[in-house]
Amino acid sequence: MLFTHQANAQVRGKVVTGTVTDSLKNGLKGANVFLQSEKDTLYTITNAQGVYRFKGVVGADLRLTYFMLGRERQLANINVADQESNTIVLSTVKLLPGFSNIDPVHILRNKPILQKGDTTVFTMSGFTYLQHSLLEDVLRSSLPGFNVLRDGTTFYNGKVISSVQVDGRRFFGGDVLTATRNLPADYIKQIEVIDHYGDMAEVKGIKNTEPEKVINIILHDDRKEIFFGQATAGGGTNERYLGSVGLNKFDRGREVSILASTNNTNTSLFAFGSPDGAGGRSPNLSDIGDYADQADGLNKINSFGVNFSDDIGQRTRLSGSYAFSKRSNETTGNSMLRSTYSGYQITKADDFTSITEDKTHKINFEINSKFRNNDILKVTPTVSLNRYVLDNQRSTLLRNFRLRNDGIYKDSSTIERPSYQLNALYSKNFEHPKRKLVGDVKMGYDRLDKLEDVSESYVIFDTTGGAPSISRFNQDQIVNQYDGTRSVKAAVSYVEPFFDHSLLEISYEYDLTDIEMSRRVRVPGDRDPIQIDSLGLRYDYSFSSNRTGLLYQYEPNKRFRANVGFAVQPLRLTGQVANDTLQHRYHNINLVPSAIIRYRFNDELDWQLTYNGRNSQPNFLHIAPIRDNTNSRHIVIGNPLLRAEFVNRLSTVFRKSIINKSQYLELNLAYNFTSNKIVSSKTATSGETIQETTFTNTDGYYELKSYYTFNSPLFTDRLNMDVSGNLDYFNNIVFVNSQRSLTRQYLFAQNLQLRYNWDEYFESVFNTNYFLNQANFEVPRRQRVAAHSVLFSLGGRGYVNDRFMCGAEMSQKFLRGYAQDITDVSPSIINAYVEYSFWKNKMALLRLECFDLLDQNKNVGVVTEYVGNDIFESRNNRLGRYFMLTLNMRLQHLPK
């Protein structure tokens, strides 16, 4: 049966109209009127005067139904066969007050997802998850759009969650891993996923930056004043151990947390302590569903942290944290590097062992004040102290046609990196709420002290001249290096309301970076080491820029927003060797347009187009005018004449969400092209195994990146699907023996995840991932590498009875197409565990688990890099099979 509004089902016929009133003869707005006949099925509602109208009525015997909530239903039967007029006016109908019976409504659960502008709100009571689960488990198994890797890295709709808050306040300096692995999901009322544009943009009200994803955890009202925590201890085979304790006290705004952990199972407590955050190599979505451990080597991790937050008076809030992490790592493996030149090829094969110790202390404070005149001051000092010790030994074999170098490379180094940062933001309040004067200052000092002891010993076999010859090469160096970097970034912005729906911003930004560097190289001796002056250096480098900009924002309503801006940015780079009159200088003026257009078609559909530009200065490795032959077979020479890059970015994003169906679709496309791109320039000769690398500027580098994600329930709310994928293209440029070389690289990934929750007692997940890394080389000869990986995984867990739970997970990975056999492995990873809950309120949990039942994870750490004339592939060891028994105790004290 077809229902239409205002008789759209018919195009010819009569017009039927009438009026609906109350008992006082006042017209009723919004009354429902149904008209039915043998040829018509029409529906409409009354206007503000109570008048209704049907067009195109064909039938003769009409049945009309009038009803409105809270009033008695009325029926009317009318025959219009004898009516000659095309417009038929029916008698007025009165709807008297009364009861209206409606069908029963069964409330199954609260609306779980709500969109509020740039914030997505998840109500935890609308989702099914196991009781006493930590937040990380619930994000991984129950909430649509979230994905959590094994190392704890959390994604939402393909974007990494960069920071975390609890009730609007940063928790442990915003450390995501600390929050997700310590907060019980039962205590959480809602989770807000926020598009955060930065503190300065939020204060100004002008959102002209790329947002990052931040989550805000809102606790239940009866969990805002509570003491809770947990303690875990465990031991297993292969000398595996685990111990952790976490104590938290929340008192309606006053928060104190103490966390500590020690283990050798690659379990991180904080998301720092290595260059990429949580340890191991950089995580990405292609790792989702891989139940193998992604951290290379065998790791021992000790962590400790304290966090507090409290109000000082009525207008100031102080929060701070101290965190310590010590990671000891032992990695063994082998690698292959193949460098192709015109007419010859240099290959390098390594078997290596690397032992490292990485210690980090981090102290963070945050002071937020709101004065009586509503001015805002935010001050954030941060101190980080890092000490990194490395002992690296490699057995190396280099070949170039009839030349072979067989030897040992040893590198022992100690690096200390203290870092001091101070950020301050001040916002001046005015009577007009949209008028803003905002200042932001970032000051920092970073230092690097490095002591390196390098030893090389090669036996050289040479048959290029016909008669074979054997020679030896030995080199020992002690390198002392010091880098001190001082930086100041200051910005001031004035925002003035412009007409009714516009804002005009005038801004000025100043950026200064000063680097002081010294390097001293000595040869060890029986008495005093001999200094090599030609390899030493004292160098001063400075980068400064002044950017003045004008930006106009037009936002007539909540659906449309446009930002159009233009800036002028003079910049200067200078460098000078100590005691040398020669200075290296570079000056330039960048003209920087910017634009953001966002249109929200409705509350669930929006589109955005963005263009912006930014400078990227060279790092010290690029510009230091020295010949670094610490690795005698791979010499690096800095170029002090390098200019700063300018990166242009054009991107568009399309987002569609259907909240009542828990569906979300996002499409992204970005085009980045770089002027003065800093690229490597390599040289080598046919009769040597030595390669030299320096750096130069060039144009022609660009990237094309596309990404999509879609998540939706399938058939039922208990079965959820997440589909995502990306296709990226890199137009890489390097120089090989002064010849420009182009590498066209394609990265393609496709991910599918199905999560099924039967009820709160059983859940399962299925994953499949495909990844392609294809590189097409042009110079010195055409060649192609296409490395594929495919992953299938399945996991599930459920309660056998009220106290016993068991679970298992399995992943099968296939690696094909790599240049060397060392990466052609297909590991099968199976993990299984059983848990038993006991004591009062199930406060104690005993867990027996087996990691990597088939013992195939320990040699699958694959690393690849294809660019220029280089093909690099490596395989490193990882954590293998072990059995472990752990005891976990929940600690909790609720107010009476």
mmCIF file of all heavy atoms in Angstrom, residues 102 143 164 168 185 222 289 296 363 400 458-459 485 498 513 571 587 610 678 845 857 860:
data_model
loop_
_atom_site.group_PDB
_atom_site.id
_atom_site.type_symbol
_atom_site.label_atom_id
_atom_site.label_comp_id
_atom_site.label_asym_id
_atom_site.label_seq_id
_atom_site.Cartn_x
_atom_site.Cartn_y
_atom_site.Cartn_z
ATOM 1 N N ILE A 102 -2.085 3.626 21.760
ATOM 2 C CA ILE A 102 -1.017 3.327 20.801
ATOM 3 C C ILE A 102 -0.437 1.975 21.152
ATOM 4 O O ILE A 102 -0.598 1.471 22.262
ATOM 5 C CB ILE A 102 0.078 4.415 20.813
ATOM 6 C CG1 ILE A 102 0.714 4.503 22.203
ATOM 7 C CG2 ILE A 102 -0.474 5.760 20.399
ATOM 8 C CD1 ILE A 102 1.885 5.472 22.264
ATOM 9 N N LEU A 143 32.700 -1.448 20.396
ATOM 10 C CA LEU A 143 32.303 -0.136 19.904
ATOM 11 C C LEU A 143 32.624 -0.009 18.416
ATOM 12 O O LEU A 143 33.777 -0.220 18.010
ATOM 13 C CB LEU A 143 32.996 0.990 20.675
ATOM 14 C CG LEU A 143 32.250 1.509 21.905
ATOM 15 C CD1 LEU A 143 32.023 0.408 22.918
ATOM 16 C CD2 LEU A 143 32.987 2.685 22.538
ATOM 17 N N VAL A 164 43.919 11.677 25.476
ATOM 18 C CA VAL A 164 42.771 11.211 26.244
ATOM 19 C C VAL A 164 42.516 12.153 27.417
ATOM 20 O O VAL A 164 43.452 12.718 27.993
ATOM 21 C CB VAL A 164 42.988 9.759 26.738
ATOM 22 C CG1 VAL A 164 44.143 9.683 27.718
ATOM 23 C CG2 VAL A 164 41.727 9.193 27.375
ATOM 24 N N GLY A 168 36.838 15.672 30.983
ATOM 25 C CA GLY A 168 37.307 16.939 30.446
ATOM 26 C C GLY A 168 38.691 17.346 30.872
ATOM 27 O O GLY A 168 39.161 18.426 30.484
ATOM 28 N N ALA A 185 35.691 -0.468 32.207
ATOM 29 C CA ALA A 185 34.591 0.010 31.372
ATOM 30 C C ALA A 185 33.312 0.197 32.183
ATOM 31 O O ALA A 185 32.465 1.037 31.836
ATOM 32 C CB ALA A 185 34.356 -0.960 30.215
ATOM 33 N N ASP A 222 28.128 8.083 40.104
ATOM 34 C CA ASP A 222 28.507 7.391 41.341
ATOM 35 C C ASP A 222 29.912 6.802 41.269
ATOM 36 O O ASP A 222 30.328 6.061 42.153
ATOM 37 C CB ASP A 222 27.494 6.290 41.668
ATOM 38 C CG ASP A 222 27.411 5.242 40.584
ATOM 39 O OD1 ASP A 222 28.013 5.448 39.502
ATOM 40 O OD2 ASP A 222 26.758 4.206 40.798
ATOM 41 N N GLY A 289 44.103 -7.383 13.690
ATOM 42 C CA GLY A 289 43.756 -8.790 13.602
ATOM 43 C C GLY A 289 44.940 -9.721 13.618
ATOM 44 O O GLY A 289 44.790 -10.929 13.698
ATOM 45 N N ASP A 296 59.742 -5.939 17.684
ATOM 46 C CA ASP A 296 60.892 -6.755 17.331
ATOM 47 C C ASP A 296 61.752 -7.027 18.560
ATOM 48 O O ASP A 296 61.872 -6.196 19.468
ATOM 49 C CB ASP A 296 61.737 -6.047 16.268
ATOM 50 C CG ASP A 296 61.059 -6.053 14.905
ATOM 51 O OD1 ASP A 296 60.151 -6.871 14.709
ATOM 52 O OD2 ASP A 296 61.440 -5.226 14.053
ATOM 53 N N ILE A 363 58.347 14.490 32.931
ATOM 54 C CA ILE A 363 57.576 15.250 33.914
ATOM 55 C C ILE A 363 56.742 16.270 33.160
ATOM 56 O O ILE A 363 57.267 17.025 32.324
ATOM 57 C CB ILE A 363 58.503 15.963 34.921
ATOM 58 C CG1 ILE A 363 59.400 14.940 35.625
ATOM 59 C CG2 ILE A 363 57.682 16.736 35.946
ATOM 60 C CD1 ILE A 363 60.449 15.582 36.508
ATOM 61 N N ASN A 400 80.434 -6.606 -5.233
ATOM 62 C CA ASN A 400 80.283 -5.802 -6.440
ATOM 63 C C ASN A 400 81.055 -6.503 -7.548
ATOM 64 O O ASN A 400 82.280 -6.353 -7.679
ATOM 65 C CB ASN A 400 80.809 -4.380 -6.232
ATOM 66 C CG ASN A 400 80.581 -3.494 -7.459
ATOM 67 O OD1 ASN A 400 80.064 -3.949 -8.469
ATOM 68 N ND2 ASN A 400 80.988 -2.243 -7.345
ATOM 69 N N TYR A 458 87.536 -5.685 7.686
ATOM 70 C CA TYR A 458 87.124 -6.363 6.457
ATOM 71 C C TYR A 458 88.311 -7.081 5.818
ATOM 72 O O TYR A 458 89.450 -6.579 5.828
ATOM 73 C CB TYR A 458 86.575 -5.366 5.434
ATOM 74 C CG TYR A 458 85.236 -4.778 5.792
ATOM 75 C CD1 TYR A 458 85.148 -3.471 6.270
ATOM 76 C CD2 TYR A 458 84.069 -5.510 5.640
ATOM 77 C CE1 TYR A 458 83.923 -2.917 6.593
ATOM 78 C CE2 TYR A 458 82.842 -4.970 5.961
ATOM 79 C CZ TYR A 458 82.771 -3.674 6.438
ATOM 80 O OH TYR A 458 81.557 -3.126 6.760
ATOM 81 N N VAL A 459 88.003 -8.250 5.257
ATOM 82 C CA VAL A 459 88.927 -8.928 4.347
ATOM 83 C C VAL A 459 88.406 -8.681 2.942
ATOM 84 O O VAL A 459 87.251 -8.996 2.634
ATOM 85 C CB VAL A 459 89.018 -10.430 4.638
ATOM 86 C CG1 VAL A 459 89.951 -11.114 3.639
ATOM 87 C CG2 VAL A 459 89.496 -10.663 6.058
ATOM 88 N N THR A 485 69.813 22.423 20.520
ATOM 89 C CA THR A 485 68.802 23.093 19.702
ATOM 90 C C THR A 485 67.918 23.952 20.587
ATOM 91 O O THR A 485 67.281 23.457 21.528
ATOM 92 C CB THR A 485 67.926 22.067 18.958
ATOM 93 O OG1 THR A 485 68.752 21.240 18.149
ATOM 94 C CG2 THR A 485 66.900 22.761 18.079
ATOM 95 N N PHE A 498 32.838 40.345 11.824
ATOM 96 C CA PHE A 498 32.746 41.085 10.562
ATOM 97 C C PHE A 498 31.359 40.836 9.991
ATOM 98 O O PHE A 498 31.051 39.736 9.553
ATOM 99 C CB PHE A 498 33.852 40.589 9.632
ATOM 100 C CG PHE A 498 34.070 41.438 8.423
ATOM 101 C CD1 PHE A 498 34.472 42.758 8.534
ATOM 102 C CD2 PHE A 498 33.872 40.903 7.161
ATOM 103 C CE1 PHE A 498 34.682 43.523 7.418
ATOM 104 C CE2 PHE A 498 34.085 41.662 6.038
ATOM 105 C CZ PHE A 498 34.495 42.982 6.165
ATOM 106 N N THR A 513 64.824 28.756 15.132
ATOM 107 C CA THR A 513 65.514 27.548 15.561
ATOM 108 C C THR A 513 67.012 27.769 15.418
ATOM 109 O O THR A 513 67.492 28.085 14.320
ATOM 110 C CB THR A 513 65.099 26.327 14.718
ATOM 111 O OG1 THR A 513 63.684 26.129 14.825
ATOM 112 C CG2 THR A 513 65.826 25.077 15.192
ATOM 113 N N LEU A 571 61.648 33.860 5.079
ATOM 114 C CA LEU A 571 62.413 32.937 5.896
ATOM 115 C C LEU A 571 63.898 33.061 5.562
ATOM 116 O O LEU A 571 64.285 33.502 4.473
ATOM 117 C CB LEU A 571 61.938 31.499 5.724
ATOM 118 C CG LEU A 571 61.936 30.874 4.328
ATOM 119 C CD1 LEU A 571 63.261 30.188 4.041
ATOM 120 C CD2 LEU A 571 60.807 29.870 4.203
ATOM 121 N N HIS A 587 67.792 32.919 1.630
ATOM 122 C CA HIS A 587 66.642 33.753 1.942
ATOM 123 C C HIS A 587 65.545 33.463 0.926
ATOM 124 O O HIS A 587 65.813 33.232 -0.260
ATOM 125 C CB HIS A 587 67.011 35.241 1.891
ATOM 126 C CG HIS A 587 68.077 35.637 2.857
ATOM 127 N ND1 HIS A 587 67.808 36.098 4.122
ATOM 128 C CD2 HIS A 587 69.434 35.622 2.749
ATOM 129 C CE1 HIS A 587 68.941 36.362 4.748
ATOM 130 N NE2 HIS A 587 69.951 36.079 3.934
ATOM 131 N N THR A 610 40.060 21.300 1.584
ATOM 132 C CA THR A 610 41.087 22.037 2.312
ATOM 133 C C THR A 610 42.317 22.215 1.443
ATOM 134 O O THR A 610 42.747 21.278 0.751
ATOM 135 C CB THR A 610 41.492 21.289 3.602
ATOM 136 O OG1 THR A 610 40.339 21.073 4.406
ATOM 137 C CG2 THR A 610 42.515 22.080 4.393
ATOM 138 N N ILE A 678 63.863 17.847 -0.364
ATOM 139 C CA ILE A 678 65.192 17.378 0.002
ATOM 140 C C ILE A 678 65.277 15.882 -0.288
ATOM 141 O O ILE A 678 64.543 15.082 0.302
ATOM 142 C CB ILE A 678 65.491 17.669 1.477
ATOM 143 C CG1 ILE A 678 65.455 19.181 1.731
ATOM 144 C CG2 ILE A 678 66.838 17.092 1.875
ATOM 145 C CD1 ILE A 678 65.562 19.549 3.192
ATOM 146 N N LEU A 845 41.024 -13.121 39.751
ATOM 147 C CA LEU A 845 40.973 -13.775 38.447
ATOM 148 C C LEU A 845 42.276 -14.535 38.234
ATOM 149 O O LEU A 845 43.371 -13.963 38.296
ATOM 150 C CB LEU A 845 40.788 -12.729 37.336
ATOM 151 C CG LEU A 845 40.824 -13.262 35.900
ATOM 152 C CD1 LEU A 845 39.597 -14.143 35.644
ATOM 153 C CD2 LEU A 845 40.857 -12.104 34.906
ATOM 154 N N ASN A 857 56.128 -17.306 15.706
ATOM 155 C CA ASN A 857 56.191 -15.843 15.707
ATOM 156 C C ASN A 857 57.615 -15.311 15.817
ATOM 157 O O ASN A 857 57.876 -14.144 15.499
ATOM 158 C CB ASN A 857 55.358 -15.292 16.869
ATOM 159 C CG ASN A 857 55.328 -13.775 16.892
ATOM 160 O OD1 ASN A 857 54.876 -13.135 15.946
ATOM 161 N ND2 ASN A 857 55.835 -13.192 17.965
ATOM 162 N N VAL A 860 59.546 -13.481 12.387
ATOM 163 C CA VAL A 860 58.683 -12.928 11.327
ATOM 164 C C VAL A 860 58.650 -11.402 11.345
ATOM 165 O O VAL A 860 57.736 -10.795 10.817
ATOM 166 C CB VAL A 860 57.242 -13.479 11.443
ATOM 167 C CG1 VAL A 860 57.226 -14.972 11.203
ATOM 168 C CG2 VAL A 860 56.637 -13.139 12.797
#
